[in-house]
Amino acid sequence: MPSPDPTLPIQPERIALGPLRRQLYPLHVRWVNDPDVGWNVFGGPQERSLDEEGAWLDAESAKPDSAFFLISVREGDAWRPIGVTSLTEIDPDARRATFRILIGDAADRGRGLGREAAELVLGHAFGTLGLATIALHVFDFNTVARRLYESLGFREVRRGATRAFPGGRTGRTIIMECSSERASARGDSA
């Protein structure tokens, strides 16, 4: 078994969460500029520069109500970064936060890695931070992500208005929530 990596604070067998690292920001740029990521995360293709993405990551991760994590997968004795996830708008008084996740390369999607990372984040949110509700936003046309979120215990609470997206696509934003009780019933609240 590989020795623990001290930069990765949450480490089960296959997936680990750790801090964002500036030297990997070019990788983030590649991920967010991928057309599939653009559609599913932003509602359309993106073209972000290293300066733009770096400034956004620095600003967002510096917010006191945010926790950003680099997602890494174990490959032999090493860890390879595959995406990012976050809890933002963390409100300890209301016991709520907003969840986001991005698996960067198409080859890493559909392998259960996003599910494992999401379970780690939910376990951290409910078990360590003591939050009661986690919300997320997903586009109605992102059916793969919606199925994953539903299987994790998220339920739709409302939909935004139908709007136009690039390329003539239309869709709506769906707001979903997961409670600590639902996650606990599934065994995700560490």
Side-chain angles (χ1 to χ4, degrees):
M1 162 134 340
S3 60
D5 182 341
T7 64
L8 300 171
I10 303 174
Q11 293 186 58
E13 293 300 311
R14 185 167 81 145
I15 291 293
L17 304 179
L20 298 183
R21 299 195 305 257
R22 288 186 117 303
Q23 68 267 30
L24 295 178
Y25 283 7
L27 185 57
H28 294 256
V29 172
R30 185 166 56 88
W31 292 338
V32 298
N33 287 338
D34 176 274
D36 289 334
V37 170
W39 275 111
N40 290 322
V41 175
F42 306 109
Q46 295 284 301
E47 273 302 319
R48 290 193 186 178
S49 69
L50 179 58
D51 288 341
E52 290 168 327
E53 183 66 6
W56 185 86
L57 287 167
D58 287 343
E60 290 298 307
S61 60
K63 291 180 178 177
D65 65 346
S66 295
F68 276 72
F69 302 99
L70 178 69
I71 305 168
S72 296
V73 64
R74 184 188 311 266
E75 291 183 340
D77 289 335
W79 293 95
R80 179 176 59 85
I82 62 164
V84 293
T85 186
S86 65
L87 292 169
T88 59
E89 302 167 331
I90 300 169
D91 184 339
D93 295 328
R95 299 181 59 215
R96 298 181 57 83
T98 300
F99 169 72
R100 291 182 181 89
I101 188 167
L102 179 154
I103 301 297
D105 290 319
D108 292 319
R109 296 182 212 132
R111 298 176 46 205
L113 303 173
R115 165 181 287 288
E116 288 183 43
E119 288 172 345
L120 289 174
V121 174
L122 291 176
H124 177 68
F126 296 132
T128 305
L129 300 179
L131 301 178
T133 305
I134 304 299
L136 62 80
H137 299 184
V138 63
F139 294 115
D140 61 355
F141 49 78
N142 191 349
T143 56
V144 172
R146 286 174 48 208
R147 280 194 305 270
L148 168 64
Y149 299 144
E150 288 168 356
S151 74
L152 291 167
F154 283 89
R155 298 293 174 253
E156 182 177 326
V157 293
R158 68 181 175 279
R159 289 179 177 234
T162 299
R163 62 185 177 118
F165 290 93
R169 183 182 281 190
T170 60
R172 299 165 71 164
T173 299
I174 299 173
I175 293 93
M176 302 180 83
E177 290 183 349
C178 182
S179 70
S180 57
E181 291 82 20
R182 277 201 296 264
S184 180
R186 294 190 64 263
D188 293 338
S189 62

